[in-house]
Amino acid sequence: MHGRLKVKTTKEQEEEKRQKRAQKVKQYRAAFGRIVEKRQAGEKDEEGLQISQQILEMIPDIHSLWNYRREILEHLKEVVSEDELQRRLESERFLTETCLRANPKSYCAWHHRSWTMDHMPRPDWQRELTLCTKFLSLDERNFHCWDYRRFVVRRAQVPAQKELDFTDEKIAVNFSNYSCWHYRSKLLPVVQPDPMGVRPVTEAKHKEELELVQNAAFTDPTDQSAWFYQRWLLGRSRPCQAITRALLSTGRCLATLVHPIRAPLGLQFLIGAGREPLAGTWRTADGQSSSSVWVFTPTLPLPQPLPGPVYLGLDVDGHSVTAELEVSADGLSALLAVAPDFGAPLSPALSSVMLEELDACKQLLEFDPDSKWTLLTTVLLMQTIDRHVYEAETMHTLDELVELDYQRANYYRDLRSRLLVEYTLERQRGDVVDLTGLSLTALYHAPLLALVKTLILNDNHLRRPLSHLAALQCCESLSLDRNEVSSLAGWPAMPSLRSLSLRENALDDLECLATLSACPCLQILDLRGNPVAKGDQKEFQKKVLAILPSLSTLNGEHI
């Protein structure tokens, strides 16, 4: 037996590891306990830095220790020289590097490094940029490092074109780099913005990017990164702020905007040839701090008839937007209703490129008919090329996606709902909008319904329409028969609503009807087919009238 190496048994090895772990835990608890004592005592000294460093080098994701180090450094900042502060913060930078080598995706270490560089008297931003490049060469999809790189670029004022060139290099190395594609989507509108504001970038660059991302997507159709970037390229441009609906009358005064605003800055009615502003107050229709629908209450009664032209003005980022309302023949009201436009025109050249993209997607589907990313991209392409020509094919493709990708079925149903509402609003005009039987899961573009008097939403799958109904300030008749509404909690104020039909829904709580008191003009209510309406009808009628005494008709019977 002499001269032979003794091999430890598995049991002995496990016991040795257990003892080492126990020793480390004991040391950690003692050190952390000491840190807690010092912090509670308000001690901000060298010992605190030393002890916290020992722990962080082993476990870098303890945010409370990084916070304590920042407290100590903030204190030292007031009592040491600039050179000493520089030295100490360089030590912090080195500590974060040590921690990031152990865990390159440590939230705490990256955050502390940002704080360190922001407080350093003489930061070396070029060194930080080099460090980011090195980390991304080791893992090009480290989104923590990408985020830190954006921080460094802002501080160092690196030209956007230079960073765009960097994304070219990284994408060439690996198409499957979502962080890089995302960064590219932020840089391109800065480097090559579309002067017309229709597309994310100039037309020439847009075509070039579409070709680039097509190559990436077809290299690996199952990878999400390129498909997401293509969705951004095909996405709708953000329209400029504008006034889409406006009404000025003795019964109702309101304005609807493309984008929500937090305060009605410069929003005012102007009447007469001199464009005299009407005095009054604005409030949001839904009571929230930000909204697209604003209600105006004039200080004095409106002049009758309205003197001359009527305008509505709005200040947007220092610029004035003005829209003229059409005054009625009797001069008692003024109205503005801009026809909705949910598409953006394409040039022949860009349209040709997108048609090629669509054809390529269809070819890919021949080989892999179940590719969800390809199917979704065909929907976006069809909507961009000509949403009306491809309407039926778009709906069919979305139905395919619901069956194919059940985990995201609700997303596809919601997208289908949005498109169907858009098609309907483009076709229907006037005071009545009928959205019956479209299998809607949500009510999109509600602000465009602000002037509608009759809205029919029967035979859909609406469960959460209530928050959107606040936009229906002029609606007198609302029908939600055969949907999936189970509660009226949060029902908004609808000042013009006279008739509400909720037949064959899932309402089972009589007390929830109290929220309908926010509709002071409500006279007709139909709850037939709901669990809440079962049982003795006289008793039911009595209970409902106790909650809503203003009703004149309940469940089709005059009270």
Side-chain angles (χ1 to χ4, degrees):
M1 300 295 291
H2 293 287
R4 292 188 181 181
L5 180 66
K6 183 179 179 181
V7 179
K8 296 179 182 178
T9 64
T10 302
K11 188 179 247 185
E12 290 174 329
Q13 290 174 344
E14 289 179 354
E15 177 60 23
E16 188 174 297
K17 289 179 181 178
R18 188 194 67 77
Q19 290 178 1
K20 287 182 179 180
R21 284 196 299 268
Q23 183 64 26
K24 284 185 177 180
V25 169
K26 184 178 180 181
Q27 293 173 354
Y28 166 77
R29 287 178 175 172
F32 198 82
R34 177 60 180 152
I35 287 290
V36 172
E37 292 175 2
K38 290 179 69 62
R39 198 175 186 188
Q40 289 177 344
E43 298 177 11
K44 301 173 183 179
D45 53 20
E46 290 290 342
E47 184 187 12
L49 291 174
Q50 291 172 3
I51 298 175
S52 60
Q53 178 173 339
Q54 292 171 5
I55 301 174
L56 288 169
E57 286 176 345
M58 294 187 295
I59 311 173
D61 288 314
I62 307 176
H63 64 87
S64 58
L65 292 185
W66 291 109
N67 289 342
Y68 183 45
R69 292 186 72 83
R70 286 192 286 273
E71 290 172 8
I72 296 174
L73 291 166
E74 287 280 10
H75 170 69
L76 293 177
K77 184 179 177 181
E78 304 297 326
V79 297
V80 301
S81 66
E82 183 178 296
D83 289 342
E84 176 63 15
L85 179 62
Q86 177 74 18
R87 185 189 67 78
R88 288 180 177 276
L89 291 177
E90 285 177 354
S91 296
E92 290 300 298
R93 185 178 62 186
F94 180 76
L95 172 61
T96 60
E97 284 184 30
T98 302
C99 294
L100 290 171
R101 288 192 189 100
N103 180 10
K105 296 183 179 180
S106 169
Y107 283 96
C108 298
W110 283 114
H111 174 68
H112 189 73
R113 192 176 185 90
S114 300
W115 181 90
T116 299
M117 294 304 297
D118 255 348
H119 289 76
M120 192 176 288
R122 297 183 296 278
D124 186 349
W125 294 113
Q126 187 55 50
R127 183 182 186 279
E128 296 305 292
L129 202 61
T130 302
L131 176 131
C132 290
T133 302
K134 183 175 180 180
F135 266 95
L136 292 174
S137 68
L138 299 172
D139 180 4
E140 64 270 12
R141 292 189 291 184
N142 185 340
F143 68 90
H144 305 271
C145 186
W146 279 107
D147 189 51
Y148 182 69
R149 185 184 182 94
R150 286 191 289 271
F151 160 76
V152 172
V153 165
R154 287 194 301 270
R155 296 294 189 272
Q157 298 182 348
V158 178
Q161 180 62 59
K162 186 174 180 180
E163 284 299 281
L164 188 61
D165 294 340
F166 177 74
T167 65
D168 287 338
E169 297 172 8
K170 302 308 292 183
I171 288 172
V173 172
N174 184 3
F175 280 142
S176 181
N177 192 337
Y178 177 76
S179 294
C180 189
W181 286 112
H182 174 72
Y183 191 24
R184 191 175 184 82
S185 71
K186 300 299 181 183
L187 294 167
L188 275 171
V190 176
V191 177
Q192 296 198 34
D194 181 9
M196 303 300 294
V198 175
R199 296 293 161 199
V201 293
T202 61
E203 181 172 316
K205 190 61 178 175
H206 199 196
K207 291 166 58 179
E208 184 181 322
E209 291 298 299
L210 283 169
E211 292 169 358
L212 170 66
V213 78
Q214 180 181 343
N215 292 333
F218 278 68
T219 300
D220 183 3
T222 63
D223 186 78
Q224 304 177 26
S225 303
W227 291 114
F228 272 116
Y229 184 68
Q230 190 173 52
R231 285 178 63 182
W232 172 74
L233 287 172
L234 298 175
R236 302 182 183 188
S237 58
R238 180 178 171 84
C240 297
Q241 181 66 289
I243 302 163
T244 58
R245 300 285 184 274
L247 173 64
L248 183 65
S249 69
T250 53
R252 189 80 55 230
C253 304
L254 61 89
T256 299
L257 313 174
V258 171
H259 303 298
I261 57 175
R262 284 195 168 275
L265 299 175
L267 186 62
Q268 55 185 350
F269 283 105
L270 310 167
I271 62 173
R275 299 195 181 189
E276 295 294 326
L278 278 177
T281 58
W282 290 93
R283 61 174 176 82
T284 59
D286 56 7
Q288 302 298 313
S289 59
S290 176
S291 178
S292 294
V293 183
W294 288 77
V295 179
F296 179 72
T297 303
T299 303
L300 300 173
L302 296 179
Q304 298 292 335
L306 294 171
V310 175
Y311 302 90
L312 183 63
L314 170 67
D315 288 341
V316 182
D317 298 329
H319 301 284
S320 179
V321 176
T322 305
E324 184 175 359
L325 283 65
E326 182 179 350
V327 180
S328 61
D330 57 12
L332 299 180
S333 64
L335 185 72
L336 170 70
V338 179
D341 183 9
F342 300 106
L346 296 176
S347 69
L350 192 54
S351 179
S352 175
V353 171
M354 291 199 177
L355 283 168
E356 291 176 5
E357 292 265 328
L358 182 59
D359 183 60
C361 284
K362 290 182 177 180
Q363 290 180 35
L364 183 59
L365 287 171
E366 292 178 5
F367 295 98
D368 186 4
D370 293 340
S371 173
K372 62 186 179 184
W373 297 111
T374 312
L375 285 167
L376 182 57
T377 300
T378 62
V379 169
L380 301 177
L381 283 165
M382 290 187 291
Q383 286 293 299
T384 305
I385 295 167
D386 193 323
R387 57 198 312 275
H388 296 102
V389 168
Y390 293 104
E391 178 179 351
E393 191 173 349
T394 295
M395 296 303 141
H396 175 72
T397 305
L398 286 172
D399 289 340
E400 278 189 78
L401 282 165
V402 168
E403 296 298 323
L404 176 67
D405 188 11
Y406 67 92
Q407 289 184 322
R408 298 170 185 80
N410 288 337
Y411 167 75
Y412 303 127
R413 292 189 183 106
D414 281 357
L415 177 57
R416 183 179 183 276
S417 297
R418 176 169 65 80
L419 295 178
L420 286 170
V421 170
E422 291 174 1
Y423 286 129
T424 303
L425 292 180
E426 287 175 330
R427 292 173 183 142
Q428 295 189 10
R429 296 288 187 272
D431 295 338
V432 179
V433 172
D434 190 346
L435 294 166
T436 298
L438 298 180
S439 297
L440 301 181
T441 56
L443 181 59
Y444 285 92
H445 303 295
L448 294 178
L449 303 171
L451 302 179
V452 169
K453 292 185 177 180
T454 299
L455 178 61
I456 306 171
L457 293 165
N458 298 339
D459 301 298
N460 287 295
H461 300 292
L462 296 174
R463 296 180 180 180
R464 52 187 191 280
L466 308 185
S467 61
H468 301 289
L469 298 180
L472 308 180
Q473 290 293 297
C474 297
C475 184
E476 299 175 359
S477 176
L478 174 62
S479 183
L480 282 160
D481 295 347
R482 294 174 295 281
N483 276 276
E484 299 171 13
V485 180
S486 59
S487 174
L488 300 181
W491 189 277
M494 298 178 65
S496 302
L497 188 64
R498 295 181 60 256
S499 174
L500 174 61
S501 182
L502 288 161
R503 298 178 64 174
E504 297 181 44
N505 277 276
L507 295 170
D508 59 2
D509 180 13
L510 195 64
E511 296 301 320
C512 74
L513 297 181
T515 60
L516 295 178
S517 59
C519 307
C521 297
L522 185 63
Q523 297 178 359
I524 303 171
L525 179 63
D526 197 337
L527 297 171
R528 283 175 287 185
N530 284 276
V532 73
K534 292 181 179 180
D536 185 274
Q537 291 303 298
K538 289 186 177 180
E539 184 66 22
F540 170 72
Q541 187 180 97
K542 181 179 178 181
K543 290 179 179 179
V544 172
L545 287 176
I547 298 171
L548 300 170
S550 63
L551 292 180
S552 61
T553 302
L554 178 62
N555 291 353
E557 295 184 8
H558 185 71
I559 300 173

